[in-house]
Amino acid sequence: MTEGHEPLATIFRRLIANYGPITIQHFMGESNARYYSQRDPLGASGDFITAPEISQMFGELIGLWLTDMWVNAGRTTPVHYVELGPGRGTLARDALRAAKRYGLEPTVHFVESSTALKDLQLTTVPQAHWHADLSTVPPYGPVLIVGNEFLDALPIRQLVRTAQGWRERMVACEEDRFVAIAGDKPMEAAVPETLREAPEGTLIEVSPAAAAVVYEIAGRLVDQGGAALLIDYGHDHPRTGSTLQALREHRKVEPFAMPGEADLTAHVDFAALAAVVQARGATWLGTTTQGQFLRQLGIESRADNLTQFAPEHRDAIHAAMERLIGEGQMGALFKVMGIAAPNWPGGAGF
Ligand code: SAH
């Protein structure tokens, strides 16, 4: 058996036996790299479903938001559509179709690490150019950047206040099972000052990987012009507690039970990311709920419009809309963060 096909759990067990517990960041990063590289996790037969797979209205409205920004900023070309983690390419296909009606035909760039998903994206959006990260996207011309359920897959660190002080949460192995334990190194320096004296047992999460991506997005917007939308489940105020979860076949499973076989995610800390945007000199347009954002962009009239063309699908169209904007569904838990170049206009919906 080659190294690449050995179960990740076996590799982790050996690593931990030889070198001691590993960070959650390490566990999550390796798990998701393995998880996404080998499968299409989306849809009814997969492990989870995302907004663009629920209805074409989602991608269309995002395409119209980007077009509106580009038109108001003066229709500069060349212009690039850049999507982070495009999944099946559905969002891009719907957004680009809507944009084209208003004269926006950008070059298309996908940042994607999974070869399995890249193959699917190739059939949905054949004109795309693929990148391993943002660094190779063209450095000239405005960038219109989108990421839906991308940041939540990036690895997090967890820090916990113990009787001895702040420690990093690590993954150890007990009789073949992976369990979380507190590490032995002091981690005070990684904890925001306002939380240092929090009670014993307090747990916080930080995502250096998400912060690095958002820093780079903001830098691109400052240097080249453009706008970005980042959509994910998360919170717009700082919070404590673990949000690490694993999904397999639409069910939650124990986060450490099957590394590489389940989708590991954590809620996105949009408050921390807004601070990164501003520190890099881009404009934070705001963070709002997905329900509020899509309503303001006119999802209800779009649903009526689609119903006129296909009255037989009336119920399905309205059920899909409800899933996207309903308070108890994706409408409140999912947030949309808008970012723009400093000299670009403000965006609709914020
Ligand atoms: N945006 C899509 C898919 C969400 S799933 C949708 O809404 O349906 C997460 C996506 O991010 C997948 O395409 C996955 O392969 C990609 N991804 C996860 N981690 C990544 C990383 N570190 N670098 C690049 N792409 C990554």
Side-chain angles (χ1 to χ4, degrees):
M1 209 183 255
T2 63
E3 175 82 0
H5 295 108
E6 196 175 18
L8 193 56
T10 312
I11 297 175
F12 280 158
R13 275 188 203 106
R14 191 167 58 232
L15 191 67
I16 293 168
N18 289 336
Y19 299 102
I22 58 176
T23 61
I24 286 186
Q25 180 168 244
H26 182 167
F27 187 94
M28 185 174 177
E30 299 260 336
S31 295
N32 277 351
R34 171 73 70 103
Y35 174 76
Y36 281 108
S37 70
Q38 296 174 343
R39 57 171 71 67
D40 168 19
L42 296 154
S45 59
D47 293 325
F48 58 95
I49 188 155
T50 55
E53 302 298 331
I54 292 171
S55 166
Q56 70 187 76
M57 294 186 284
F58 184 78
E60 288 170 350
L61 292 170
I62 285 175
L64 292 177
W65 187 91
L66 295 172
T67 309
D68 184 53
M69 292 294 285
W70 176 72
V71 167
N72 289 334
R75 297 176 179 266
T76 309
T77 53
V79 55
H80 312 288
Y81 174 92
V82 180
E83 190 173 335
L84 303 164
R88 289 178 169 172
T90 309
L91 194 170
R93 186 195 61 202
D94 295 337
L96 293 167
R97 187 182 59 242
K100 193 174 174 184
R101 274 190 248 123
Y102 295 88
L104 169 60
E105 293 186 70
T107 63
V108 179
H109 299 271
F110 284 171
V111 174
E112 177 57 70
S113 57
S114 159
T115 45
L117 286 172
K118 183 180 163 187
D119 286 346
L120 267 173
Q121 292 155 13
L122 200 57
T123 62
T124 329
V125 189
Q127 76 272 33
H129 301 89
W130 278 268
H131 303 265
D133 54 50
L134 278 171
S135 65
T136 50
V137 167
Y140 52 86
V143 279
L144 304 172
I145 304 177
V146 180
N148 185 61
E149 293 212 43
F150 172 74
L151 297 174
D152 69 345
L154 300 182
I156 56 156
R157 291 172 80 170
Q158 289 189 336
L159 303 164
V160 61
R161 179 104 200 252
T162 69
Q164 289 76 40
W166 285 95
R167 296 287 184 270
E168 178 146 19
R169 264 184 121 211
M170 314 283 290
V171 182
C173 203
E174 271 175 15
E175 294 168 5
D176 267 13
R177 281 182 55 244
F178 297 109
V179 293
I181 59 155
D184 50 16
K185 286 192 212 57
M187 291 300 295
E188 266 66 17
V191 177
E193 220 163 295
T194 48
L195 283 165
R196 291 224 181 121
E197 296 311 316
E200 195 180 322
T202 304
L203 187 156
I204 62 167
E205 295 179 338
V206 291
S207 179
V213 169
V214 170
Y215 188 83
E216 200 170 348
I217 290 172
R220 288 296 188 130
L221 297 179
V222 170
D223 294 345
Q224 293 173 237
L229 285 177
L230 297 171
I231 306 136
D232 236 302
Y233 47 159
H235 39 277
D236 50 6
H237 299 287
R239 51 156 288 161
T240 59
S242 176
T243 68
L244 187 67
Q245 67 167 29
L247 273 182
R248 187 174 161 85
E249 292 166 0
H250 300 269
R251 262 192 292 268
K252 280 190 191 180
V253 295
E254 208 281 308
F256 304 121
M258 34 180 92
E261 304 298 320
D263 179 42
L264 271 180
T265 66
H267 285 202
V268 173
D269 182 350
F270 282 105
L273 297 180
V276 171
V277 167
Q278 290 167 320
R280 185 63 184 82
T283 307
W284 172 62
L285 299 173
T287 303
T288 184
T289 63
Q290 178 170 303
Q292 176 90 2
F293 183 75
L294 294 176
R295 262 196 208 94
Q296 292 217 9
L297 261 49
I299 193 169
E300 281 141 331
S301 19
R302 182 67 186 133
D304 291 343
N305 194 267
L306 284 175
T307 303
Q308 275 172 13
F309 283 105
E312 70 281 12
H313 292 140
R314 188 184 185 286
D315 290 351
I317 292 166
H318 280 84
M321 177 176 77
E322 194 48 35
R323 263 184 98 174
L324 294 177
I325 65 175
E327 288 283 305
Q329 308 216 32
M330 298 175 85
L333 178 59
F334 278 74
K335 308 292 185 296
V336 182
M337 180 165 87
I339 318 170
N343 51 352
W344 272 44
F350 292 102

